[in-house]
């Protein structure tokens, strides 16, 4: 079971790696299909360290995207900040007094 899992993980890594061109990916897949155990060992020896680095980078990107989404959905932290931002827009002439009143009422609701 562990050997099959390692083989699958290597295949996933090959296709997720953007530094390999199509021919290199094809070559690694052929080696893994013809000589699975030897091919897996060679892949882990030659590219094992970069596998961990790529996985760490994917996890960081995923966490960053998640944090950005949460910030976007959560909006501002307090009604006072929303009202202050609306006041700045009103002073700049970007919104009308009616729009400001609507934003203020929504923030206080």
């Amino acid at each position: 079971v562990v050997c099959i899992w390692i083989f699958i993980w290597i295949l996933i890594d090959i296709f997720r790696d953007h530094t390999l061109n199509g021919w290199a990916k094809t070559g690694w897949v052929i080696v893994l299909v013809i000589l699975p155990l030897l091919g897996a060992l060679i892949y882990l020896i030659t590219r094992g360290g970069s596998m961990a680095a790529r996985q760490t980078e994917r996890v960081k990107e995923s966490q960053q995207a998640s944090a950005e989404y949460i910030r976007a959905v959560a909006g501002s932290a307090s009604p006072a900040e929303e009202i202050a931002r609306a006041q700045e827009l009103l002073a700049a002439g970007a919104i009308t007094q009616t729009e400001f009143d609507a934003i203020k009422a929504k923030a206080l609701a």
Side-chain angles (χ1 to χ4, degrees), residues 18-54:
H18 298 292
T19 61
L20 290 176
N21 62 21
W23 289 107
K25 290 179 183 184
T26 304
W28 277 113
V29 170
I30 289 172
V31 169
L32 288 171
V33 169
I34 294 174
L35 302 167
L37 185 61
L38 185 61
L41 288 174
I42 292 171
Y43 188 85
L44 290 174
I45 290 169
T46 58
R47 299 183 52 85
S50 60
M51 276 178 73
R54 283 189 297 278

Side-chain angles (χ1 to χ4, degrees), residues 84-104:
R85 190 175 334 126
Q87 182 66 38
E88 291 173 5
L89 291 173
L90 179 64
I95 61 174
T96 64
Q97 183 65 39
T98 308
E99 292 171 326
F100 172 76
D101 293 337
I103 293 171
K104 183 177 175 183

